[in-house]
Amino acid sequence: MTTNGAPPPVLSLKGVNTHYGAAHILKDVDIDIHAGEMVCLLGGNASGKTTTLKTMLGYLRPSSGTVYMDGENVNGWSTAQRVGHGLTMVPENRRLFKRMTVKENLEIGAYLRQSDDLDADYERVFEMFPRVKERLTQKAGTLSGGEQQMVAMGRALMAQPKVLLMDEPSMGLAPVLVAQNFEIIEQINKAGVTVFVVEQNANMALSIADRGYVLQTGKIVLDDTSQALLANPQMRAAYLGDV
Amino acid sequence: MVLVAATGMVATFQPRLVIDPIVPLGILFLYLLAFAFGWMAGQPPATLEGYEPATAGSRNVLAGALAGLLGGLCLGLLLIAITVFDLRGVFINMSPELAEILGFGLPVAAAVFVIAVASAFMGALGAGVHLLSRRVRRALIGALTAVIVFSVLTDLFGQLFAGLSLEPVIDFLYTGRGGALTIIGSVVIFGAFIVLFWWMEGRDSTLRQRVQAMPKGQRSRWQIGAALIILVILYFVPRIMGPFVSQILVTAGIYLLMALGLNIVVGYAGLLDLGYVAFFAVGAYTTAILTSPQSPAFNPEISVLASLPFVMVAAAIAGILVATPVIRMRGDYLAIVTLGFGEIARILLNSEWLAPVFGGAQGITNIPDLQIGPLTFSTPQDYFYPIFLFVLLAAYVTFALQKSRWGRAWMAMREDESVAEAMGVNIVTAKLSAFVVGAILASFGGSLFAAQIGSVFPHTFDIVVSITVLVIIIVGGMGSVPGVTLGALVLIVLPNLLREFSEYQFLFYGVLLIVMMLKRPEGFIPSKRRAQELHTEELSQDAWLEIYGEKGQAEQVPEGAV
Ligand SMILES: Nc1ncnc2c1ncn2[C@@H]1O[C@H](COP(=O)(O)OP(=O)(O)O)[C@@H](O)[C@H]1O
Ligand SMILES: [Mg+2]
């Protein structure tokens, strides 16, 4: 994995195959994510997007191939270890701890942080999402979908991640909220966090990402810069709503 | 009512007079049920915002009377059935004796009529209560409850007044110690409590407000003062209450210790452990083996106190042993496997095979008394104090853990295991630690139990113990220390004080559980969190999408691959 000179990708999959029992889901997947980048993974329903994220986080072990973080083989690492190393996920459908308060959700986000001083982190989250501050003592399950998305992102930011994985952040949100959401993702990326965003909404994702991968039934079929993908006729036909 | 009569409760309760000589317990119990039916039927509908509150009127009373009448008619039918057919072949309890009791000794037709009228009357009364003003209603019901409590807990009050050297009070209120209330006694109690409740109305909350309004320093001084007074009272409790009641309190204390432990496992971490008794057994047997000269295999004969560190280690090991295989299990699977572990523990202790170590069915006897320095604890009164101390310690640990990182990790895990993991919570350590902490608390309970009883036998460590502890935390309020305490008091102390009740202890648990689940699923004294959890409507939009990470299956990946 060591390349001369340039730093290794912060996160990468090399020749990864992942199975659910006998079902072969990911097939020889290669993904490289470099520090500071915003990369998106596009694909239709059941193409294996979530499976890719689960493999990155260590929920699933690849049956062959390797997951690297900063050039190091992390196949043997537990999820908690990978999170401790700076990987954090905003799960599909947000998945807040619904019966805990917003504040407690944020606290859990910072679970692995050694320092007790979280004030600055709270401030950062509140600055990004003023609504969250108003809802601190409310049960997370009683928030609206948009608010839940904010808390889910706030929760992930509390971990001070180096790489933020997002699973379909636009799912189930009104179009206005989707746009807002992507603005915030862009903002987080500008602040120095590497972002890997998984989406079905290809237009939206490509409008903010530097590069994109396209996943089809577990295989990476396209891999290019966002501009190139937006211009790709095959891509336009399949994912961008051109007829 | 038919059910109650059929189970034989009435006949068992009958010899016990509540108010001498007019009201026997069995009949009282039956007609209180009619009263309760009436009360439920006559309840005004819930007031909806924006609507005129429904006024209670004669319609409610009628509904109550009908409900009572219905119950009474069923009872009448039962009576006819008993007298006409001999049902004893099917239901042992349906004896002519029961018919005699139910029918007040009257001929059948007259008796059915009397029962129906009486039940309807009680039902109407129950419903009629709703017509009274809140203050009157509270005073009346409170005073009635007081009379019933005084009469039913006659042993307790007899002991209490005797302990305080107030024998004349006993003679005045009761027909002798442990006897029934006299007519004058019940009237006096009723009157006194009416006055008390009347006076109290509104005052308890003002007092609370006043304490709340105090400046911080003064308030904490008040709280310390109150705590001191409670401690002083507690110091005298065993002395006043004598060995019988103290023994019950000691038993309740041991259950409470276990309940606090299980509360961590089930309430905080959300791991339903039905084999919790195993850890209780580990504590009891570790102390027994290490302290008793009769221990078959190995008898170092150290003191009970010195055995405690070993008990802790043994419990921790047992906790890890049970938790390791169930790490990846959830919900029902976990419950069933732990249930199995509990039974395995008992069977091993009972087995011939391990008899050279555990003594088999003969158990281990001659466990010495607990000794701390010059103090020797031998009577139940003595044991009250160390057990109280341990309970206090357990309560403190519970509080401290709730606010800690561990506590947070447990709760996140309870809410959503895979997301908690994505936040960096190590699920393996979180589960192991919950099991170990719970195991240690239960094992201390077992250790004290062994020392107090002086012997251990396998049959003590029955699944019923696990169930009882679980019922305590469910009824009391999962996650709440005061709730669990009250749960232990109600579920252990009450059935033991009511001699007639003990046969129906589990029926009582069952009914209590059902009523609680329907009316107050969060328990008597819920933790703030649980109350919120169960009573706030979930507004979440994607509650239906709970399918995401089923990590359990994913673990089996390398099949055909690699
Ligand atoms: N826990 C599971 N067990 C078995 N098969 C699964 C599981 N989760 C997902 N799959 C299958 O894996 C494939 C990819 O799923 P997923 O990665 O969730 O797709 P996406 O996120 O792209 O919609 C689907 O065919 C799905 O049915
Ligand atoms: Mg998905």
Side-chain angles (χ1 to χ4, degrees):
Chain A
M1 262 311 280
T2 38
T3 38
N4 30 354
V10 279
L11 179 64
S12 73
L13 303 182
K14 280 276 172 285
V16 163
N17 287 279
T18 302
H19 290 73
Y20 274 118
H24 194 171
I25 307 296
L26 295 187
K27 297 155 192 160
D28 290 319
V29 169
D30 291 308
I31 292 176
D32 284 325
I33 303 163
H34 295 275
E37 269 191 314
M38 160 117 62
V39 181
C40 65
L41 178 67
L42 308 172
N45 242 331
S47 55
K49 302 184 299 297
T50 300
T51 307
T52 309
L53 291 186
K54 286 198 209 169
T55 308
M56 287 172 165
L57 261 172
Y59 279 114
L60 299 173
R61 309 278 158 171
S63 36
S64 69
T66 317
V67 182
Y68 295 93
M69 286 181 75
D70 289 324
E72 197 173 341
N73 180 338
V74 296
N75 273 3
W77 290 20
S78 71
T79 300
Q81 277 172 307
R82 297 183 199 195
V83 174
H85 205 78
L87 205 55
T88 294
M89 176 168 66
V90 179
E92 201 169 0
N93 297 307
R94 305 169 276 281
R95 295 276 292 263
L96 296 182
F97 302 112
K98 294 191 185 120
R99 299 185 297 179
M100 299 169 85
T101 63
V102 169
K103 176 104 194 279
E104 287 167 329
N105 270 274
L106 295 179
E107 268 173 18
I108 291 280
Y111 182 75
L112 282 183
R113 298 265 308 280
Q114 295 308 319
S115 87
D116 299 317
D117 188 26
L118 300 175
D119 289 351
D121 298 84
Y122 281 122
E123 276 317 310
R124 192 160 70 121
V125 172
F126 297 155
E127 207 173 293
M128 220 170 260
F129 311 106
R131 285 287 276 285
V132 171
K133 189 172 184 176
E134 296 162 23
R135 308 279 161 154
L136 271 188
T137 55
Q138 195 174 327
K139 260 196 347 168
T142 63
L143 299 176
S144 74
E147 289 166 337
Q148 291 200 14
Q149 180 67 29
M150 296 178 195
V151 176
M153 289 175 49
R155 179 175 70 180
L157 287 180
M158 290 298 287
Q160 290 197 344
K162 284 196 283 196
V163 183
L164 182 61
L165 310 176
M166 309 202 68
D167 198 349
E168 304 209 27
S170 72
M171 186 189 269
L173 294 185
V176 198
L177 290 176
V178 173
Q180 247 178 41
N181 210 352
F182 273 89
E183 261 168 50
I184 285 166
I185 296 174
E186 207 169 4
Q187 205 178 320
I188 293 172
N189 178 241
K190 293 240 165 73
V193 180
T194 309
V195 176
F196 183 63
V197 54
V198 159
E199 261 302 340
Q200 295 201 40
N201 187 339
N203 269 321
M204 206 47 162
L206 287 173
S207 72
I208 59 164
D210 304 313
R211 293 190 297 119
Y213 291 86
V214 177
L215 195 62
Q216 230 169 45
T217 56
K219 278 200 202 91
I220 300 281
V221 291
L222 280 172
D223 155 20
D224 216 328
T225 63
S226 294
Q227 287 91 334
L229 285 176
L230 282 167
N232 186 321
Q234 193 191 339
M235 182 70 199
R236 297 194 69 86
Y239 296 101
L240 299 173
D242 265 20
V243 189
Chain B
M1 286 166 102
V2 173
L3 180 73
V4 169
T7 49
M9 266 187 168
V10 175
T12 328
F13 291 172
Q14 194 61 18
R16 174 87 166 258
L17 291 177
V18 173
I19 301 173
D20 186 62
I22 47 172
V23 187
L25 182 57
I27 290 292
L28 174 72
F29 195 69
L30 265 183
Y31 288 96
L32 268 183
L33 277 180
F35 185 82
F37 287 157
W39 188 71
M40 280 191 276
Q43 220 158 26
T47 330
L48 292 175
E49 224 172 302
Y51 289 85
E52 278 290 299
T55 36
S58 49
R59 250 193 323 160
N60 300 53
V61 179
L62 197 65
L66 269 178
L69 186 67
L70 207 64
L73 283 179
C74 292
L75 201 63
L77 276 181
L78 176 72
L79 180 63
I80 296 174
I82 298 175
T83 13
V84 178
F85 313 104
D86 189 0
L87 290 180
R88 262 184 298 178
V90 190
F91 302 105
I92 306 175
N93 289 312
M94 303 216 174
S95 56
E97 190 195 338
L98 177 64
E100 175 81 25
I101 296 169
L102 291 179
F104 302 104
L106 297 169
V108 177
V112 172
F113 181 72
V114 170
I115 291 172
V117 170
S119 304
F121 179 68
M122 287 305 283
L125 270 188
V129 168
H130 292 291
L131 299 183
L132 302 170
S133 81
R134 206 178 101 98
R135 193 168 184 178
V136 177
R137 185 170 67 212
R138 286 211 163 176
L140 269 181
I141 300 248
L144 249 177
T145 314
V147 172
I148 294 172
V149 166
F150 266 84
S151 66
V152 171
L153 298 182
T154 161
D155 285 323
L156 181 69
F157 287 102
Q159 175 64 49
L160 176 65
F161 292 126
L164 294 169
S165 320
L166 293 171
E167 277 87 357
V169 178
I170 304 179
D171 293 335
F172 178 67
L173 293 178
Y174 294 97
T175 56
R177 207 167 140 189
L181 280 180
T182 56
I183 297 179
I184 301 182
S186 35
V187 170
V188 168
I189 293 171
F190 189 76
F193 275 88
I194 286 232
V195 173
L196 181 69
F197 281 111
W198 186 266
W199 179 81
M200 281 246 299
E201 177 68 26
R203 257 168 240 257
D204 47 345
S205 52
T206 13
L207 182 68
R208 210 172 303 146
Q209 277 162 12
R210 242 189 292 163
V211 172
Q212 227 117 67
M214 281 177 196
K216 221 174 182 180
Q218 198 186 352
R219 181 159 32 141
S220 59
R221 245 176 295 143
W222 260 72
Q223 280 164 346
I224 292 172
L228 277 181
I229 291 172
I230 291 174
L231 278 184
V232 169
I233 293 175
L234 278 172
Y235 176 76
F236 287 107
V237 161
R239 273 150 219 261
I240 295 171
M241 298 318 268
F244 172 67
V245 177
S246 296
Q247 178 60 54
I248 296 175
L249 287 176
V250 162
T251 309
I254 288 173
Y255 269 101
L256 178 52
L257 201 52
M258 283 196 275
L260 287 170
L262 188 64
N263 179 43
I264 287 177
V265 184
V266 182
Y268 287 1
L271 306 165
L272 185 52
D273 180 357
L274 294 184
Y276 196 58
V277 67
F279 303 128
F280 183 55
V282 165
Y285 268 87
T286 307
T287 292
I289 289 171
L290 292 178
T291 61
S292 165
Q294 306 273 297
S295 162
F298 166 73
N299 43 6
E301 291 187 49
I302 61 175
S303 73
V304 172
L305 192 62
S307 79
L308 287 182
F310 297 99
V311 166
M312 212 165 129
V313 173
I317 294 172
I320 291 170
L321 276 181
V322 171
T324 310
V326 300
I327 288 285
R328 287 297 164 203
M329 283 176 199
R330 296 179 201 203
D332 349 4
Y333 297 104
L334 178 72
I336 291 177
V337 172
T338 50
L339 187 72
F341 271 118
E343 281 300 280
I344 290 173
R346 189 177 57 83
I347 290 165
L348 284 182
L349 293 176
N350 208 358
S351 69
E352 278 305 308
W353 175 50
L354 288 175
V357 186
F358 299 123
Q362 272 72 51
I364 300 175
T365 52
N366 276 15
I367 300 166
D369 280 321
L370 172 66
Q371 257 182 326
I372 302 176
L375 299 170
T376 305
F377 297 83
S378 50
T379 63
Q381 282 118 303
D382 296 340
Y383 271 99
F384 179 84
Y385 302 106
I387 286 176
F388 182 72
L389 215 66
F390 269 95
V391 167
L392 220 55
L393 185 78
Y396 173 75
V397 168
T398 307
F399 271 128
L401 281 174
Q402 185 180 16
K403 297 239 172 344
S404 73
R405 240 169 80 87
W406 277 19
R408 245 182 289 145
W410 285 334
M411 279 182 244
M413 177 172 78
R414 186 191 71 192
E415 291 295 295
D416 190 327
E417 201 173 303
S418 29
V419 178
E421 203 170 3
M423 298 295 121
V425 173
N426 188 326
I427 296 296
V428 176
T429 11
K431 285 193 177 173
L432 285 181
S433 59
F435 265 103
V436 166
V437 173
I440 288 175
L441 290 182
S443 73
F444 283 153
S447 187
L448 289 168
F449 171 81
Q452 202 246 316
I453 304 292
S455 50
V456 289
F457 304 103
H459 68 80
T460 316
F461 304 98
D462 194 52
I463 171 153
V464 165
V465 177
S466 303
I467 303 296
T468 306
V469 176
L470 193 64
V471 173
I472 289 176
I473 63 174
I474 292 174
V475 167
M478 212 172 290
S480 140
V481 174
V484 172
T485 310
L486 186 67
L489 287 179
V490 169
L491 289 169
I492 306 298
V493 176
L494 268 191
N496 278 299
L497 276 178
L498 296 164
R499 279 167 287 136
E500 283 82 0
F501 253 122
S502 53
E503 205 179 315
Y504 302 100
Q505 185 167 353
F506 291 102
L507 185 66
F508 168 58
Y509 285 6
V511 170
L512 196 60
L513 263 183
I514 293 171
V515 173
M516 292 296 292
M517 287 305 104
L518 290 175
K519 292 282 167 192
R520 265 182 93 90
E522 71 276 22
F524 282 142
I525 310 180
S527 66
K528 277 197 197 116
R529 168 190 312 286
R530 290 276 300 175
Q532 270 187 354
E533 281 168 13
L534 289 161
H535 279 287
T536 324
E537 202 182 335
E538 299 277 347
L539 294 175
S540 158
Q541 305 174 333
D542 40 35
W544 53 278
L545 273 163
E546 288 290 344
I547 16 167
Y548 176 80
E550 278 314 301
K551 193 175 171 194
Q553 301 164 26
E555 277 314 283
Q556 311 155 354
V557 168
E559 193 183 285
V562 182

